[in-house]
Short mmCIF file of all heavy atoms in Angstrom, two decimals:
data_model
loop_
_atom_site.label_atom_id
_atom_site.label_comp_id
_atom_site.label_asym_id
_atom_site.label_seq_id
_atom_site.Cartn_x
_atom_site.Cartn_y
_atom_site.Cartn_z
N VAL A 464 13.04 147.11 199.11
CA VAL A 464 14.15 146.33 199.57
C VAL A 464 13.89 145.85 201.01
O VAL A 464 14.18 144.68 201.35
CB VAL A 464 15.47 147.15 199.51
CG1 VAL A 464 16.60 146.38 200.22
CG2 VAL A 464 15.83 147.42 198.08
N GLN A 465 13.35 146.71 201.85
CA GLN A 465 13.05 146.31 203.24
C GLN A 465 12.07 145.16 203.24
O GLN A 465 12.21 144.21 204.04
CB GLN A 465 12.46 147.51 204.00
CG GLN A 465 13.48 148.57 204.34
CD GLN A 465 12.88 149.66 205.18
OE1 GLN A 465 12.10 149.39 206.12
NE2 GLN A 465 13.22 150.92 204.87
N GLN A 466 11.04 145.23 202.41
CA GLN A 466 10.07 144.17 202.37
C GLN A 466 10.69 142.85 201.97
O GLN A 466 10.48 141.80 202.64
CB GLN A 466 8.92 144.48 201.38
CG GLN A 466 7.80 143.43 201.43
CD GLN A 466 6.83 143.57 200.27
OE1 GLN A 466 7.21 143.52 199.11
NE2 GLN A 466 5.57 143.80 200.61
N GLU A 467 11.50 142.83 200.92
CA GLU A 467 12.13 141.61 200.49
C GLU A 467 13.08 141.07 201.57
O GLU A 467 13.16 139.89 201.80
CB GLU A 467 12.88 141.88 199.19
CG GLU A 467 13.27 140.60 198.43
CD GLU A 467 13.83 140.89 197.06
OE1 GLU A 467 13.85 142.05 196.63
OE2 GLU A 467 14.29 139.90 196.41
N LEU A 468 13.79 141.97 202.22
CA LEU A 468 14.73 141.59 203.29
C LEU A 468 13.98 140.93 204.42
O LEU A 468 14.37 139.87 204.98
CB LEU A 468 15.47 142.81 203.77
CG LEU A 468 16.55 142.61 204.85
CD1 LEU A 468 17.77 141.96 204.24
CD2 LEU A 468 16.90 143.93 205.49
N LEU A 469 12.87 141.56 204.86
CA LEU A 469 12.09 141.02 205.97
C LEU A 469 11.42 139.70 205.66
O LEU A 469 11.25 138.82 206.53
CB LEU A 469 11.04 142.03 206.42
CG LEU A 469 11.62 143.34 207.00
CD1 LEU A 469 10.52 144.39 207.17
CD2 LEU A 469 12.34 143.05 208.34
N LEU A 470 11.06 139.50 204.40
CA LEU A 470 10.46 138.20 204.00
C LEU A 470 11.48 137.07 204.08
O LEU A 470 11.10 135.96 204.40
CB LEU A 470 9.93 138.30 202.54
CG LEU A 470 8.60 139.07 202.40
CD1 LEU A 470 8.35 139.33 200.89
CD2 LEU A 470 7.43 138.30 202.99
N LYS A 471 12.71 137.37 203.85
CA LYS A 471 13.75 136.36 203.90
C LYS A 471 14.34 136.20 205.30
O LYS A 471 15.13 135.27 205.54
CB LYS A 471 14.89 136.71 202.88
CG LYS A 471 14.48 136.71 201.43
CD LYS A 471 15.64 137.03 200.56
CE LYS A 471 15.24 137.31 199.10
NZ LYS A 471 14.48 136.23 198.47
N ALA A 472 14.03 137.12 206.18
CA ALA A 472 14.70 137.14 207.50
C ALA A 472 14.51 135.88 208.31
O ALA A 472 15.47 135.36 208.91
CB ALA A 472 14.20 138.34 208.30
N PRO A 473 13.30 135.28 208.43
CA PRO A 473 13.13 134.13 209.30
C PRO A 473 14.03 132.92 208.95
O PRO A 473 14.69 132.36 209.82
CB PRO A 473 11.62 133.78 209.13
CG PRO A 473 11.02 135.06 208.78
CD PRO A 473 11.99 135.79 207.91
N SER A 474 14.13 132.59 207.67
CA SER A 474 14.97 131.45 207.28
C SER A 474 16.44 131.78 207.51
O SER A 474 17.22 130.90 207.88
CB SER A 474 14.71 131.01 205.84
OG SER A 474 14.99 132.06 204.95
N PHE A 475 16.82 133.02 207.28
CA PHE A 475 18.21 133.47 207.52
C PHE A 475 18.55 133.35 209.02
O PHE A 475 19.56 132.84 209.39
CB PHE A 475 18.43 134.87 207.03
CG PHE A 475 19.74 135.49 207.42
CD1 PHE A 475 20.88 135.17 206.71
CD2 PHE A 475 19.82 136.33 208.52
CE1 PHE A 475 22.13 135.71 207.12
CE2 PHE A 475 21.03 136.88 208.90
CZ PHE A 475 22.18 136.54 208.21
N LEU A 476 17.66 133.83 209.86
CA LEU A 476 17.90 133.81 211.31
C LEU A 476 18.02 132.38 211.84
O LEU A 476 18.79 132.13 212.73
CB LEU A 476 16.77 134.56 212.03
CG LEU A 476 16.78 136.09 211.90
CD1 LEU A 476 15.49 136.67 212.40
CD2 LEU A 476 17.95 136.65 212.66
N GLN A 477 17.23 131.51 211.31
CA GLN A 477 17.24 130.12 211.76
C GLN A 477 18.59 129.47 211.56
O GLN A 477 18.98 128.56 212.25
CB GLN A 477 16.15 129.31 211.06
CG GLN A 477 15.96 127.89 211.57
CD GLN A 477 15.48 127.86 213.02
OE1 GLN A 477 14.99 128.82 213.54
NE2 GLN A 477 15.62 126.68 213.65
N ALA A 478 19.35 129.97 210.58
CA ALA A 478 20.67 129.37 210.28
C ALA A 478 21.79 130.04 211.09
O ALA A 478 22.93 129.62 210.95
CB ALA A 478 20.95 129.49 208.76
N GLN A 479 21.47 131.02 211.91
CA GLN A 479 22.50 131.74 212.70
C GLN A 479 22.67 131.12 214.09
O GLN A 479 21.74 130.46 214.61
CB GLN A 479 22.15 133.22 212.82
CG GLN A 479 21.88 133.94 211.50
CD GLN A 479 22.97 133.71 210.53
OE1 GLN A 479 24.15 133.99 210.78
NE2 GLN A 479 22.61 133.21 209.35
N ASP A 480 23.81 131.34 214.70
CA ASP A 480 24.08 130.77 216.01
C ASP A 480 24.47 131.84 217.02
O ASP A 480 25.04 132.89 216.66
CB ASP A 480 25.23 129.77 215.93
CG ASP A 480 24.84 128.45 215.42
OD1 ASP A 480 23.79 127.92 215.90
OD2 ASP A 480 25.53 127.88 214.54
N GLY A 481 24.20 131.60 218.29
CA GLY A 481 24.72 132.37 219.42
C GLY A 481 24.62 133.87 219.31
O GLY A 481 23.56 134.44 218.97
N ILE A 482 25.74 134.54 219.55
CA ILE A 482 25.78 136.01 219.53
C ILE A 482 25.42 136.56 218.16
O ILE A 482 24.75 137.59 218.09
CB ILE A 482 27.21 136.49 219.95
CG1 ILE A 482 27.49 136.09 221.41
CG2 ILE A 482 27.34 137.99 219.80
CD1 ILE A 482 28.88 136.40 221.85
N GLU A 483 25.83 135.84 217.14
CA GLU A 483 25.52 136.31 215.78
C GLU A 483 23.99 136.33 215.59
O GLU A 483 23.45 137.26 215.00
CB GLU A 483 26.16 135.36 214.75
CG GLU A 483 26.23 135.88 213.34
CD GLU A 483 27.15 137.05 213.16
OE1 GLU A 483 27.97 137.35 214.05
OE2 GLU A 483 27.05 137.74 212.10
N ALA A 484 23.30 135.31 216.07
CA ALA A 484 21.85 135.26 215.95
C ALA A 484 21.21 136.43 216.69
O ALA A 484 20.30 137.10 216.21
CB ALA A 484 21.31 133.95 216.49
N ASP A 485 21.69 136.68 217.94
CA ASP A 485 21.12 137.77 218.76
C ASP A 485 21.30 139.13 218.06
O ASP A 485 20.44 139.98 218.09
CB ASP A 485 21.79 137.78 220.14
CG ASP A 485 21.45 136.56 221.00
OD1 ASP A 485 20.43 135.93 220.71
OD2 ASP A 485 22.21 136.23 221.89
N LYS A 486 22.50 139.29 217.48
CA LYS A 486 22.80 140.54 216.79
C LYS A 486 21.83 140.79 215.64
O LYS A 486 21.32 141.88 215.46
CB LYS A 486 24.24 140.48 216.28
CG LYS A 486 24.67 141.71 215.47
CD LYS A 486 26.10 141.58 214.98
CE LYS A 486 26.20 140.53 213.88
NZ LYS A 486 27.61 140.43 213.37
N TRP A 487 21.57 139.71 214.88
CA TRP A 487 20.70 139.85 213.70
C TRP A 487 19.22 140.01 214.13
O TRP A 487 18.48 140.72 213.45
CB TRP A 487 20.86 138.66 212.79
CG TRP A 487 22.00 138.80 211.86
CD1 TRP A 487 23.22 138.13 211.91
CD2 TRP A 487 22.15 139.73 210.79
NE1 TRP A 487 24.06 138.55 210.91
CE2 TRP A 487 23.43 139.53 210.19
CE3 TRP A 487 21.29 140.67 210.23
CZ2 TRP A 487 23.87 140.29 209.10
CZ3 TRP A 487 21.75 141.41 209.13
CH2 TRP A 487 23.00 141.22 208.59
N VAL A 488 18.81 139.38 215.20
CA VAL A 488 17.46 139.55 215.70
C VAL A 488 17.22 141.03 216.01
O VAL A 488 16.18 141.61 215.65
CB VAL A 488 17.19 138.70 216.94
CG1 VAL A 488 15.89 139.16 217.65
CG2 VAL A 488 17.06 137.22 216.55
N THR A 489 18.17 141.63 216.70
CA THR A 489 18.06 143.04 217.05
C THR A 489 17.98 143.92 215.84
O THR A 489 17.15 144.84 215.73
CB THR A 489 19.23 143.49 217.94
OG1 THR A 489 19.25 142.67 219.12
CG2 THR A 489 19.10 144.94 218.34
N ARG A 490 18.84 143.67 214.87
CA ARG A 490 18.83 144.49 213.63
C ARG A 490 17.52 144.34 212.91
O ARG A 490 16.96 145.34 212.45
CB ARG A 490 19.97 143.99 212.72
CG ARG A 490 21.35 144.42 213.14
CD ARG A 490 22.41 143.79 212.19
NE ARG A 490 23.74 144.19 212.50
CZ ARG A 490 24.82 143.63 211.95
NH1 ARG A 490 24.67 142.64 211.05
NH2 ARG A 490 26.03 144.06 212.27
N ILE A 491 17.07 143.13 212.74
CA ILE A 491 15.85 142.89 211.97
C ILE A 491 14.64 143.49 212.64
O ILE A 491 13.72 143.98 211.99
CB ILE A 491 15.73 141.38 211.67
CG1 ILE A 491 16.80 140.97 210.65
CG2 ILE A 491 14.33 141.04 211.12
CD1 ILE A 491 16.97 139.49 210.54
N GLN A 492 14.61 143.40 213.97
CA GLN A 492 13.49 143.99 214.68
C GLN A 492 13.40 145.53 214.43
O GLN A 492 12.33 146.09 214.29
CB GLN A 492 13.57 143.68 216.18
CG GLN A 492 13.00 142.32 216.56
CD GLN A 492 11.50 142.25 216.30
OE1 GLN A 492 10.72 142.97 216.92
NE2 GLN A 492 11.12 141.40 215.37
N LYS A 493 14.55 146.15 214.44
CA LYS A 493 14.58 147.60 214.20
C LYS A 493 14.11 147.90 212.77
O LYS A 493 13.36 148.87 212.55
CB LYS A 493 16.00 148.17 214.40
CG LYS A 493 16.42 148.22 215.86
CD LYS A 493 17.83 148.80 216.00
CE LYS A 493 18.24 148.87 217.49
NZ LYS A 493 19.61 149.37 217.61
N ILE A 494 14.57 147.13 211.80
CA ILE A 494 14.14 147.30 210.42
C ILE A 494 12.64 147.08 210.32
O ILE A 494 11.93 147.86 209.68
CB ILE A 494 14.90 146.39 209.49
CG1 ILE A 494 16.38 146.70 209.50
CG2 ILE A 494 14.35 146.48 208.05
CD1 ILE A 494 17.25 145.66 208.79
N TYR A 495 12.15 146.02 210.93
CA TYR A 495 10.73 145.70 210.89
C TYR A 495 9.86 146.82 211.46
O TYR A 495 8.90 147.27 210.86
CB TYR A 495 10.47 144.40 211.64
CG TYR A 495 9.02 144.18 211.97
CD1 TYR A 495 8.04 143.94 210.99
CD2 TYR A 495 8.55 144.31 213.31
CE1 TYR A 495 6.71 143.79 211.31
CE2 TYR A 495 7.24 144.15 213.64
CZ TYR A 495 6.31 143.90 212.63
OH TYR A 495 4.99 143.76 212.96
N GLN A 496 10.23 147.29 212.65
CA GLN A 496 9.45 148.32 213.30
C GLN A 496 9.44 149.61 212.51
O GLN A 496 8.42 150.34 212.43
CB GLN A 496 9.93 148.53 214.74
CG GLN A 496 9.63 147.35 215.64
CD GLN A 496 10.01 147.56 217.10
OE1 GLN A 496 10.35 148.67 217.49
NE2 GLN A 496 9.96 146.51 217.90
N ASN A 497 10.59 149.92 211.92
CA ASN A 497 10.65 151.12 211.07
C ASN A 497 9.78 150.95 209.83
O ASN A 497 9.11 151.89 209.38
CB ASN A 497 12.09 151.40 210.66
CG ASN A 497 12.22 152.63 209.74
OD1 ASN A 497 12.04 153.74 210.15
ND2 ASN A 497 12.51 152.33 208.47
N TYR A 498 9.81 149.73 209.29
CA TYR A 498 9.05 149.43 208.04
C TYR A 498 7.56 149.64 208.25
O TYR A 498 6.90 150.32 207.46
CB TYR A 498 9.39 148.01 207.63
CG TYR A 498 8.62 147.55 206.38
CD1 TYR A 498 8.98 147.98 205.13
CD2 TYR A 498 7.54 146.63 206.51
CE1 TYR A 498 8.27 147.54 203.98
CE2 TYR A 498 6.89 146.22 205.38
CZ TYR A 498 7.24 146.63 204.14
OH TYR A 498 6.56 146.21 203.03
N VAL A 499 6.99 149.01 209.32
CA VAL A 499 5.55 149.13 209.51
C VAL A 499 5.15 150.53 209.98
O VAL A 499 3.98 150.95 209.76
CB VAL A 499 5.04 148.06 210.49
CG1 VAL A 499 5.19 146.68 209.91
CG2 VAL A 499 5.71 148.21 211.84
N ALA A 500 6.09 151.26 210.56
CA ALA A 500 5.77 152.65 211.00
C ALA A 500 5.80 153.60 209.86
O ALA A 500 5.10 154.60 209.81
CB ALA A 500 6.75 153.10 212.08
N THR A 501 6.67 153.33 208.87
CA THR A 501 6.87 154.23 207.74
C THR A 501 5.89 154.02 206.62
O THR A 501 5.40 154.98 206.01
CB THR A 501 8.32 154.10 207.20
OG1 THR A 501 9.24 154.32 208.25
CG2 THR A 501 8.57 155.09 206.05
N LYS A 502 5.57 152.80 206.34
CA LYS A 502 4.71 152.45 205.21
C LYS A 502 3.29 152.90 205.46
O LYS A 502 2.77 152.79 206.59
CB LYS A 502 4.77 150.95 204.92
CG LYS A 502 4.28 150.59 203.54
CD LYS A 502 4.69 149.14 203.20
CE LYS A 502 4.31 148.81 201.77
NZ LYS A 502 4.69 147.42 201.40
N ASN A 503 2.63 153.38 204.45
CA ASN A 503 1.22 153.77 204.55
C ASN A 503 0.41 152.54 204.97
O ASN A 503 0.52 151.47 204.39
CB ASN A 503 0.72 154.30 203.19
CG ASN A 503 -0.71 154.80 203.26
OD1 ASN A 503 -1.62 154.09 203.67
ND2 ASN A 503 -0.91 156.03 202.84
N PRO A 504 -0.42 152.65 206.06
CA PRO A 504 -1.18 151.50 206.53
C PRO A 504 -1.95 150.75 205.44
O PRO A 504 -2.05 149.54 205.47
CB PRO A 504 -2.13 152.11 207.54
CG PRO A 504 -1.40 153.31 208.07
CD PRO A 504 -0.66 153.85 206.86
N LYS A 505 -2.50 151.49 204.49
CA LYS A 505 -3.27 150.84 203.42
C LYS A 505 -2.37 150.06 202.45
O LYS A 505 -2.79 149.10 201.83
CB LYS A 505 -4.11 151.86 202.66
CG LYS A 505 -5.29 152.41 203.52
CD LYS A 505 -6.20 153.24 202.66
CE LYS A 505 -7.39 153.80 203.50
NZ LYS A 505 -8.28 152.70 203.95
N GLU A 506 -1.10 150.50 202.34
CA GLU A 506 -0.16 149.78 201.50
C GLU A 506 0.33 148.50 202.15
O GLU A 506 0.93 147.64 201.47
CB GLU A 506 1.01 150.69 201.14
CG GLU A 506 0.64 151.86 200.26
CD GLU A 506 1.80 152.80 199.98
OE1 GLU A 506 2.91 152.55 200.53
OE2 GLU A 506 1.64 153.71 199.16
N LEU A 507 0.08 148.34 203.42
CA LEU A 507 0.43 147.08 204.12
C LEU A 507 -0.59 146.00 203.91
O LEU A 507 -0.34 144.83 204.29
CB LEU A 507 0.57 147.37 205.62
CG LEU A 507 1.77 148.18 206.10
CD1 LEU A 507 1.59 148.60 207.56
CD2 LEU A 507 3.08 147.36 205.97
N ILE A 508 -1.70 146.34 203.29
CA ILE A 508 -2.76 145.33 203.08
C ILE A 508 -2.44 144.45 201.87
O ILE A 508 -2.94 144.65 200.76
CB ILE A 508 -4.13 146.04 202.92
CG1 ILE A 508 -4.39 146.96 204.10
CG2 ILE A 508 -5.24 145.00 202.80
CD1 ILE A 508 -5.65 147.81 203.93
N ASN A 509 -1.58 143.47 202.10
CA ASN A 509 -1.24 142.51 201.07
C ASN A 509 -0.65 141.30 201.75
O ASN A 509 -0.29 141.31 202.92
CB ASN A 509 -0.20 143.11 200.06
CG ASN A 509 1.05 143.54 200.75
OD1 ASN A 509 1.93 142.69 201.03
ND2 ASN A 509 1.23 144.84 201.05
N ALA A 510 -0.56 140.18 201.01
CA ALA A 510 -0.16 138.93 201.60
C ALA A 510 1.27 138.96 202.12
O ALA A 510 1.56 138.40 203.19
CB ALA A 510 -0.29 137.80 200.56
N ASN A 511 2.17 139.60 201.42
CA ASN A 511 3.57 139.61 201.85
C ASN A 511 3.76 140.38 203.16
O ASN A 511 4.49 139.93 204.06
CB ASN A 511 4.47 140.22 200.76
CG ASN A 511 4.76 139.24 199.64
OD1 ASN A 511 4.73 138.00 199.86
ND2 ASN A 511 5.01 139.71 198.46
N ASP A 512 3.14 141.57 203.28
CA ASP A 512 3.27 142.31 204.50
C ASP A 512 2.56 141.64 205.65
O ASP A 512 3.02 141.73 206.80
CB ASP A 512 2.75 143.75 204.30
CG ASP A 512 3.75 144.60 203.53
OD1 ASP A 512 4.93 144.32 203.58
OD2 ASP A 512 3.30 145.55 202.85
N TYR A 513 1.48 140.96 205.37
CA TYR A 513 0.80 140.23 206.46
C TYR A 513 1.71 139.08 206.96
O TYR A 513 1.82 138.84 208.17
CB TYR A 513 -0.54 139.69 205.98
CG TYR A 513 -1.32 138.98 207.11
CD1 TYR A 513 -1.72 139.67 208.21
CD2 TYR A 513 -1.61 137.61 207.00
CE1 TYR A 513 -2.42 139.04 209.24
CE2 TYR A 513 -2.30 136.98 208.02
CZ TYR A 513 -2.72 137.67 209.12
OH TYR A 513 -3.40 137.03 210.13
N ARG A 514 2.39 138.43 206.03
CA ARG A 514 3.30 137.41 206.41
C ARG A 514 4.45 137.94 207.25
O ARG A 514 4.87 137.33 208.25
CB ARG A 514 3.88 136.73 205.13
CG ARG A 514 4.88 135.60 205.38
CD ARG A 514 5.32 135.05 204.07
NE ARG A 514 6.60 134.31 204.18
CZ ARG A 514 7.38 134.03 203.17
NH1 ARG A 514 7.05 134.41 201.93
NH2 ARG A 514 8.50 133.35 203.36
#
Side-chain angles (χ1 to χ4, degrees):
V464 170
Q465 288 184 43
Q466 184 192 60
E467 197 171 354
L468 184 74
L469 293 171
L470 285 168
K471 296 182 191 302
S474 60
F475 171 80
L476 286 168
Q477 186 65 17
Q479 306 308 305
D480 280 314
I482 295 174
E483 195 68 14
D485 294 338
K486 177 180 72 177
W487 278 108
V488 166
T489 300
R490 284 176 179 171
I491 289 166
Q492 276 295 296
K493 287 181 180 177
I494 296 170
Y495 163 70
Q496 291 184 9
N497 178 71
Y498 178 74
V499 294
T501 303
K502 198 167 186 180
N503 185 304
K505 290 189 179 293
E506 292 178 354
L507 288 167
I508 304 174
N509 61 79
N511 281 334
D512 283 333
Y513 183 62
R514 179 179 161 198

